[in-house]
Amino acid sequence: MKILIFGERGQIATNLKNLCPKGLKIKFLGRKNLNIEEYQKIPQVIQQSAPDLIINAAAYTDVDGAEKNYELAQKVNALAPKQIAIESKRLNIPFIHFSTDYVLNNESNHSSKEGALPQPLNAYGRSKLEGEKNIVLVDGLYMIIRSSWVFSLEGTNFLKTILSLAQNHKSIDVIDDQFGGPTPASEIAKICYKIISNYQNQVFHKGIYHFSGFPDVSWAEFASEIIAQAKLTTEINPVSTTFFMNKNNSYEAVRPLNSRLDCSLIHDFYDIERPCWKSILQEMMQGNIQDSR
């Protein structure tokens, strides 16, 4: 089975590469092969590759940067997925695409289901929602996986930011009134391969699915766990979103306070459980400490 993956160096793409099962032939399309901003070239690239399934792990993920660079975010997050969806439908092959909790704005204390009305609060979320809508309108064999707070030791993410700040600061201000489920990028890669395995066995349920780590916590609680697991002494100072925004000029985009995702649908269709992110973080930290010795 031939799988074409858009993206090569990001968190999810890196883990797709590292965790690829035997028997799958995978081709990654990074910037050296295709600048995904040039989305008009996507049909030709797909036709040349002749894949059996496509995964889009490429995205513009600079949440604050999207406020000033919406055109770029739109090209990568909305127009490129549309072209991939069109070609996937033409070839009648599955297309797995990753989206975000930031397409939602849940003002309750409950987790969001897939059918919740999207209401993005920032430019990044709007670009990702536009991508979702484009894929759904094409109506091929698509699967959109919304996740939250993705982390790994690769790429740019909250885990690496906290570890970096901890090297030079005795205390770090971290927001304590936004809640969500930290999600290991490795687990996203694993569920992709489980979905692909099901497809090889003639099972593929198209639609939008939620997948995030368990338990749900605040950013400050996430940061405290990172510090503890890394065996560092840096103090985490919980602060409100308003306090943080007033103190940090680079924090421009409005974020949802509740990013909790209801992941029961993907469990019902694929028997996929929410992963315990604390256990996976512990394994990552132990490996990281050993590697640095």
Side-chain angles (χ1 to χ4, degrees):
M1 184 177 191
K2 294 191 295 183
I3 300 174
L4 180 63
I5 299 178
F6 285 83
E8 185 174 22
R9 298 183 180 233
Q11 297 185 76
I12 296 176
T14 299
N15 280 275
L16 285 168
K17 184 180 296 184
N18 294 340
L19 298 170
C20 179
K22 293 180 180 179
L24 297 180
K25 297 179 180 178
I26 294 185
K27 178 180 179 179
F28 290 86
L29 287 175
R31 279 188 168 271
K32 63 183 179 182
N33 309 109
L34 171 72
N35 183 348
I36 201 164
E37 297 168 32
E38 301 173 352
Y39 56 90
Q40 303 91 339
K41 297 181 180 179
I42 288 175
Q44 180 182 0
V45 170
I46 293 176
Q47 291 165 19
Q48 291 173 344
S49 300
D52 300 306
L53 183 146
I54 297 176
I55 299 174
N56 181 28
Y60 181 94
T61 58
D62 185 347
V63 177
D64 293 304
E67 297 296 314
K68 297 179 179 178
N69 300 292
Y70 186 75
E71 183 178 353
L72 175 57
Q74 184 188 44
K75 287 179 180 178
V76 177
N77 294 342
L79 300 180
K82 179 180 180 179
Q83 290 299 319
I84 299 172
I86 290 171
E87 284 304 302
S88 298
K89 183 176 182 180
R90 187 184 65 81
L91 295 172
N92 194 33
I93 61 174
F95 170 32
I96 299 174
H97 175 76
F98 304 111
S99 191
T100 171
D101 56 295
Y102 280 12
V103 303
L104 303 168
N105 177 31
N106 184 351
E107 296 181 339
S108 75
N109 290 322
H110 304 291
S111 302
S112 296
K113 292 182 177 290
E114 288 81 355
L117 180 67
Q119 191 180 2
L121 297 176
N122 54 52
Y124 167 70
R126 290 195 299 273
S127 70
K128 293 296 288 185
L129 178 59
E130 187 177 342
E132 286 190 11
K133 288 181 176 179
N134 287 340
I135 294 169
V136 172
L137 284 173
V138 171
D139 196 28
L141 294 175
Y142 70 89
M143 178 176 287
I144 297 170
I145 300 174
R146 290 180 185 154
S147 196
S148 62
W149 302 14
V150 180
F151 71 92
S152 68
L153 291 174
E154 299 83 28
T156 302
N157 60 79
F158 185 77
L159 166 61
K160 292 188 66 178
T161 297
I162 292 298
L163 291 175
S164 177
L165 289 172
Q167 300 302 316
N168 301 306
H169 296 79
K170 293 182 179 179
S171 67
I172 307 171
D173 291 340
V174 184
I175 291 171
D176 70 346
D177 57 3
Q178 295 178 22
F179 296 87
T183 311
S186 58
E187 297 305 301
I188 297 176
K190 289 177 183 177
I191 70 164
C192 278
Y193 288 128
K194 183 168 185 177
I195 290 166
I196 290 170
S197 176
N198 274 266
Y199 171 67
Q200 290 176 303
N201 291 320
Q202 311 300 315
V203 177
F204 187 85
H205 303 284
K206 65 187 288 185
I208 297 175
Y209 293 88
H210 288 172
F211 177 73
S212 65
F214 177 85
D216 295 317
V217 291
S218 69
W219 285 114
E221 290 172 317
F222 187 15
S224 295
E225 188 69 22
I226 292 169
I227 294 299
Q229 297 280 11
K231 303 186 185 307
L232 300 172
T233 58
T234 306
E235 180 182 349
I236 298 300
N237 181 33
V239 300
S240 69
T241 299
T242 301
F243 178 91
F244 193 87
M245 290 188 73
N246 289 337
K247 193 175 179 180
N248 296 272
N249 294 330
S250 61
Y251 193 86
E252 297 186 22
V254 178
R255 273 80 162 172
L257 297 181
N258 182 5
S259 285
R260 301 177 182 93
L261 298 176
D262 184 314
C263 304
S264 56
L265 191 63
I266 200 166
H267 175 267
D268 293 343
F269 278 106
Y270 286 100
D271 196 28
I272 289 173
E273 303 277 357
R274 295 181 68 185
C276 177
W277 63 266
K278 290 184 180 181
S279 299
I280 296 165
L281 175 64
Q282 183 177 30
E283 295 172 4
M284 292 169 60
M285 289 297 94
Q286 289 176 344
N288 192 43
I289 292 172
Q290 292 173 356
D291 290 343
S292 63
R293 288 173 180 170

